[in-house]
Amino acid sequence: MTAATLETRKNRTALLAFGGALAMLGLGYAAVPLYELFCQVTGFGGTTQRASESDAATAERLAASAGGRTISIRFDGTTAGDVPWSFRPEQVTDTVTIGQRDMAIYLAKNNSDETITGTATFNVEPEQAGAYFNKIQCFCFTEQVLEPGQEVRMPVLYFVDPKALDDPNMEGVEQITLSYTFHRALDSAE
């Protein structure tokens, strides 16, 4: 093997290794948005669905076939350690008719002497219910800014899709828990 051939092979190997490293870096950056998209589409990990008013109207029409069946919804609210807020649901449980829109109210108060921007992450348990728990409007869709001492009421407009009644994985589910945790938004970090 000549020196020129050996040098060409070394350069090709180095170029392939560099290309592979760039591809892995790109996949690393794309992993989070792709995973979030997967969870939103499938309801994986208890990720709730985002619905429109027309989706809610369709669910209400389908609710007639559900025969007025109801399900218990439990609400939970916490904050991360760096968020000095009080945050809780106004009502801990509610019984809702499957397919009908309902509203939950969460209360938040900034207990600090500084303005804090928070963002809420959410989850539904049991996990299989995430695909059927639809939020039409939610404080979790945007960042929330609370001035020192400010107290706010934050609504969540939601419905449970009647298709849940046809899913064998939902058989025996009598209660769905909707949990929120407020975190300090990145632009609000100390």
Side-chain angles (χ1 to χ4, degrees), residues 148-159:
Q150 181 181 9
E151 195 167 350
V152 294
R153 298 179 78 222
M154 298 184 289
V156 179
L157 185 59
Y158 69 93
F159 67 93

Side-chain angles (χ1 to χ4, degrees), residues 41-44 46-49 127-134 161 167:
V41 169
T42 64
F44 181 76
T47 302
T48 62
Q49 304 302 302
E127 285 185 17
Q128 66 268 30
Y132 303 107
F133 195 95
N134 294 271
D161 194 322
D167 185 343

Side-chain angles (χ1 to χ4, degrees), residues 72-112:
S72 174
I73 309 293
R74 190 176 83 74
F75 304 101
D76 182 46
T78 60
T79 59
D82 65 341
V83 180
W85 290 2
S86 301
F87 176 64
R88 64 179 178 80
E90 189 172 66
Q91 182 177 338
V92 177
T93 60
D94 192 12
T95 300
V96 301
T97 301
I98 293 176
Q100 296 293 313
R101 284 177 255 207
D102 206 344
M103 183 182 296
I105 303 291
Y106 279 78
L107 307 171
K109 181 179 181 183
N110 182 350
N111 298 315
S112 75

Side-chain angles (χ1 to χ4, degrees), residues 106-173:
Y106 279 78
L107 307 171
K109 181 179 181 183
N110 182 350
N111 298 315
S112 75
D113 58 357
E114 64 177 307
T115 299
I116 295 179
T117 302
T119 184
T121 57
F122 52 86
N123 192 330
V124 168
E125 287 293 329
E127 285 185 17
Q128 66 268 30
Y132 303 107
F133 195 95
N134 294 271
K135 292 187 286 189
I136 302 164
Q137 295 175 358
C138 182
F139 59 86
C140 63
F141 294 161
T142 59
E143 291 182 343
Q144 302 298 315
V145 180
L146 271 65
E147 301 294 327
Q150 181 181 9
E151 195 167 350
V152 294
R153 298 179 78 222
M154 298 184 289
V156 179
L157 185 59
Y158 69 93
F159 67 93
V160 177
D161 194 322
K163 293 176 187 170
L165 298 172
D166 299 328
D167 185 343
N169 293 321
M170 289 292 292
E171 193 172 310
V173 173

Side-chain angles (χ1 to χ4, degrees), residues 21-32:
L22 277 178
M24 285 189 272
L25 181 66
L27 284 173
Y29 277 104
V32 171

